[in-house]
């Protein structure tokens, strides 16, 4: 195998792992924001402990 | 400063302002670094173009250790000072550190094959780095295994501090043992042994990777704070429904 293969594979793997980290961060954040908005839209809040 | 940030609401506000700047700067530096690596940095006189793997491998190795140190400090923050954001920081740092450790091992292996003639050798540096990845994976598994965040944080903190023994082993393995891996060539008492034409792009890539890591860490902490709010509200709702039914 030529050296180009090892260089290209290194950059592809790094790009994929970094892209995965960024995607995971964005998707997870959106899921939590949606869940929070859903709970708040149903009137669930910290004050609900009193009521 | 750390005391002020103990308030999650204040942290959310400050991190929300900082995040786009840190992320933007990371993207710009990554662009500049990659341009220098591909169009300005020379090929090595022995390794040829394969030296381009160094610009990924070395920053990833540094960040692997850096994020473990963040986790170890956060573990102390959880166990000793009981800082409310310490375990949030610890949980957010683990997957980022694990990912950079994986990048370090894979790129190191891909660099090793054309240079050493082998993808893997059980020498002290490579083995201690593999142990580092296994510790990261163990910590991630422990977070998932214990549902209650405070109990999980204490257990993970102890495991993190025990695993911190591996950090100096990784760092000094090339000095303590006779390894296939080369000794340190940047942070040395007698100065770097790399020519500035390669050192400058390497340092730019390292700063870019670090800023990317910090941006991901801030983002992860913000998400974890939201996750805990969701958990608290879900429990409150369940309690309210129980009270209504009773």
């Amino acid at each position: 195998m030529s050296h180009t293969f090892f260089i290209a594979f290194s950059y592809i793997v790094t790009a994929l792992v970094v892209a995965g980290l960024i995607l995971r961060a964005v998707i997870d954040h959106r899921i939590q924001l949606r869940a929070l908005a859903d709970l708040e839209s149903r009137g669930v809040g910290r004050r609900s402990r009193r009521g | 400063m750390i005391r002020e940030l103990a308030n999650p609401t204040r942290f959310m506000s400050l991190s929300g302002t900082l995040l786009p700047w840190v992320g933007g700067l990371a993207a710009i530096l990554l662009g500049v670094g990659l341009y220098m690596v591909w169009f300005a940095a020379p090929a090595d006189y022995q390794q040829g173009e394969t030296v381009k793997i160094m610009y990924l491998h070395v920053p990833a190795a540094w960040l692997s250790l850096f994020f473990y140190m963040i986790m170890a400090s956060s573990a102390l923050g959880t166990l000793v000072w009981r800082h409310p954001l310490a375990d949030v920081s610890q949980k957010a740092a683990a997957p980022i550190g694990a990912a950079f450790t994986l990048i370090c091992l894979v790129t190191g292996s891909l660099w090793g094959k054309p240079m050493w003639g082998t993808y893997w050798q059980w020498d002290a540096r490579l083995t201690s780095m593999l142990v580092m990845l296994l510790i990261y994976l163990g910590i991630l598994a422990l977070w998932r295994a214990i549902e209650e965040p405070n109990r999980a944080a204490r257990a993970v903190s102890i495991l993190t501090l025990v695993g911190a023994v591996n950090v100096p082993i990784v760092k000094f393995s090339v000095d303590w043992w006779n390894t296939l891996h080369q000794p340190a060539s940047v942070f040395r008492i007698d100065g770097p042994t790399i020519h500035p034409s390669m050192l400058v792009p390497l340092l730019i890539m390292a700063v870019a990777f670090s800023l990317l890591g910090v941006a991901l860490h801030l983002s992860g902490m913000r998400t974890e704070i939201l996750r805990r709010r969701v958990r608290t509200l879900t429990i409150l709702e369940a309690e309210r429904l129980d009270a209504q039914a009773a």
Side-chain angles (χ1 to χ4, degrees):
Chain A
M1 270 182 283
S2 74
H3 288 192
T4 311
F5 166 81
F6 295 104
I7 299 166
F9 200 30
S10 295
Y11 278 79
I12 289 168
V13 168
T14 304
L16 286 176
V17 174
V18 169
L21 275 175
I22 294 170
L23 264 179
R24 176 187 167 275
V26 171
I27 291 170
D28 199 12
H29 193 75
R30 283 188 184 168
I31 288 171
Q32 300 310 321
L33 275 179
R34 206 169 298 151
L36 198 59
D38 181 47
L39 282 162
E40 282 171 352
S41 72
R42 282 189 278 134
V44 184
R46 287 176 189 276
R47 271 168 283 178
S48 65
R49 190 187 285 275
R50 293 177 208 157
Chain B
M1 174 76 173
I2 289 176
R3 283 261 168 236
E4 274 180 34
L5 287 177
N7 180 337
T9 309
R10 202 166 297 152
F11 174 82
M12 289 297 273
S13 162
L14 185 64
S15 61
T17 311
L18 275 176
L19 195 52
W21 291 98
V22 178
L25 197 56
I28 291 168
L29 280 179
L30 204 56
V32 172
L34 284 173
Y35 175 83
M36 290 184 81
V37 168
W38 287 96
F39 301 107
D44 184 75
Y45 80 105
Q46 278 183 322
Q47 304 185 34
E49 294 294 342
T50 316
V51 77
K52 293 201 184 316
I53 299 174
M54 172 185 74
Y55 302 103
L56 303 174
H57 175 74
V58 174
W62 287 345
L63 281 181
S64 166
L65 296 179
F66 175 69
F67 272 97
Y68 203 91
M69 292 315 293
I70 287 181
M71 289 204 318
S73 330
S74 302
L76 282 176
T78 301
L79 293 175
V80 181
W81 299 293
R82 297 182 188 277
H83 192 289
L85 288 180
D87 58 319
V88 171
S89 160
Q90 202 183 159
K91 192 173 182 186
I96 305 167
F100 281 118
T101 311
L102 181 68
I103 290 173
C104 171
L105 283 168
V106 172
T107 54
S109 186
L110 288 165
W111 196 9
K113 181 63 179 168
M115 293 301 106
W116 299 336
T118 179
Y119 285 108
W120 186 260
Q121 182 77 32
W122 292 100
D123 87 346
R125 171 58 70 84
L126 275 68
T127 308
S128 56
M129 209 59 193
L130 180 64
V131 170
M132 177 71 90
L133 180 64
L134 296 176
I135 293 171
Y136 269 122
L137 296 179
I139 286 168
L140 285 169
L142 195 55
W143 272 118
R144 284 180 173 269
I146 306 172
E147 199 186 335
E148 208 280 302
N150 291 330
R151 271 190 59 219
R154 281 194 296 276
V156 169
S157 296
I158 293 164
L159 178 59
T160 303
L161 290 175
V162 172
V165 171
N166 192 43
V167 173
I169 295 177
V170 171
K171 170 75 182 121
F172 297 109
S173 53
V174 286
D175 304 319
W176 292 342
W177 291 286
N178 185 21
T179 60
L180 187 59
H181 194 283
Q182 68 175 61
S185 46
V186 178
F187 298 113
R188 295 163 56 100
I189 295 168
D190 54 347
T193 54
I194 301 180
H195 191 270
S197 59
M198 291 177 177
L199 183 63
V200 172
L202 176 62
L203 292 178
I204 290 174
M205 287 296 280
V207 175
F209 267 49
S210 303
L211 288 173
L212 173 68
V214 169
L216 286 166
H217 189 219
L218 285 177
S219 167
M221 285 180 71
R222 289 168 60 78
T223 304
E224 186 56 28
I225 289 170
L226 289 180
R227 193 188 330 277
R228 289 179 186 201
R229 277 187 194 163
V230 168
R231 185 176 185 275
T232 305
L233 292 182
T234 308
I235 291 169
L236 285 175
E237 188 185 30
E239 282 175 0
R240 188 171 57 85
L241 290 174
D242 273 357
Q244 278 175 359

